[in-house]
Amino acid sequence: MEKKETVYLTCERNWVFYTLITVAGIFGAYTYLLRGNVFCNAQTGNVVLLGLAIGAGQWHKALYYIIPISAYLAGAFVSELLPNSVKHNFFIRWDTLLIAIEMVFVVVLGFIPDSYPVQISQIAINFMASMQYNTFRQAEGVPMATTFATNHIRQIGVGLAKEVKHFKHNDGSHRPKLFKHSIMLVCFLSGASLGTVFCNLFGARAIWVTLLPFAVVFAALLHADLTTEKDLMEKKPLGH
């Protein structure tokens, strides 16, 4: 009996994840170069700095780090509550609406003057990154993160170790996963490199460059919701 092929939704496609992590690389360059020399795609650094501030009794500084952490927490909270109500009331998936929301955020961020507090951009990107990380979870069955590179580096190391262990047995079952994580890392790095070029050329307006890849993903997701996957609205992406 032949094994039934898994049907993946458009929001689970590899190319969507490759596109989103490229955008994340651009965001990383943008916030580091133009918005306070920080990375907003994850919160490990802020938690460490919060701990340092508490340990040193620097309570005002501790409160400062609670703000981006809270924004990230809020992003996960919102993205966990909304999916069902969105698809039942708007007849599109939360994944699709999220990309539209991120595009609105990007447009607004590009208009923020350099003289304004950098925390405005930082908090907005914290919030967006958290929602995206919690929404896009698996690329065609493989758990992936679209906002940071740490796990992809780890998975590449694991894949290379399996390459060594299975070399004599000619077992290449691990290679598709290794390949995906490698592409994700290259896309993130490419996004950071491109983001650096755009930031040097356009300054704060550089973030608008991400509207193009976002628009491509949004168009694909919206088309799927309204046509090819209209009858699959109750099907949840893997990992949810």
Side-chain angles (χ1 to χ4, degrees):
M1 184 176 180
E2 292 185 5
K3 186 178 179 180
K4 188 176 180 181
E5 184 179 356
T6 303
V7 176
Y8 297 108
L9 298 168
T10 301
C11 60
E12 299 176 275
R13 292 296 177 183
N14 290 326
W15 74 267
V16 171
F17 280 69
Y18 298 155
T19 303
L20 292 180
I21 199 168
T22 302
V23 170
I26 296 174
F27 281 161
Y30 172 79
T31 57
Y32 186 82
L33 294 174
L34 304 176
R35 296 297 186 241
N37 300 117
V38 297
F39 300 112
C40 297
N41 296 354
Q43 291 301 300
T44 302
N46 282 329
V47 174
V48 171
L49 292 171
L50 173 61
L52 292 175
I54 293 173
Q58 298 173 333
W59 308 114
H60 289 290
K61 187 176 286 189
L63 289 173
Y64 173 84
Y65 292 118
I66 286 176
I67 294 173
I69 294 171
S70 298
Y72 203 87
L73 185 152
F77 179 82
V78 169
S79 62
E80 193 67 26
L81 285 181
L82 290 183
N84 283 332
S85 59
V86 167
K87 68 184 179 183
H88 292 148
N89 290 289
F90 297 97
F91 306 106
I92 61 172
R93 290 185 176 276
W94 160 250
D95 314 65
T96 307
L97 180 60
L98 172 58
I99 299 300
I101 292 172
E102 291 194 76
M103 291 174 71
V104 172
F105 269 66
V106 165
V107 171
V108 174
L109 288 174
F111 281 114
I112 295 178
D114 293 339
S115 58
Y116 279 38
V118 296
Q119 289 78 16
I120 297 173
S121 299
Q122 292 174 3
I123 291 170
I125 293 178
N126 283 326
F127 186 67
M128 287 193 297
S130 178
M131 290 195 294
Q132 186 176 300
Y133 177 43
N134 192 49
T135 299
F136 293 89
R137 300 184 184 182
Q138 291 193 18
E140 298 186 17
V142 179
M144 293 283 185
T146 60
T147 58
F148 54 87
T150 304
N151 186 56
H152 302 302
I153 296 173
R154 182 182 74 86
Q155 292 292 349
I156 291 170
V158 171
L160 292 175
K162 289 182 178 179
E163 187 71 26
V164 173
K165 289 195 297 184
H166 301 321
F167 180 76
K168 293 182 179 180
H169 304 289
N170 197 28
D171 180 3
S173 59
H174 60 283
R175 288 174 184 163
K177 186 176 179 180
L178 171 60
F179 177 77
K180 285 186 183 182
H181 284 290
S182 298
I183 294 296
M184 291 288 279
L185 181 59
V186 170
C187 287
F188 187 83
L189 179 60
S190 299
S193 300
L194 290 171
T196 301
V197 174
F198 293 136
C199 286
N200 289 332
L201 289 174
F202 307 119
R205 306 293 185 270
I207 197 170
W208 287 343
V209 172
T210 63
L211 289 173
L212 179 58
F214 270 145
V216 172
V217 173
F218 176 73
L221 296 182
L222 184 62
H223 178 265
D225 290 346
L226 299 179
T227 58
T228 58
E229 295 174 4
K230 185 177 181 180
D231 296 331
L232 298 175
M233 197 59 66
E234 294 302 320
K235 176 179 171 62
K236 289 185 177 181
L238 295 178
H240 286 263

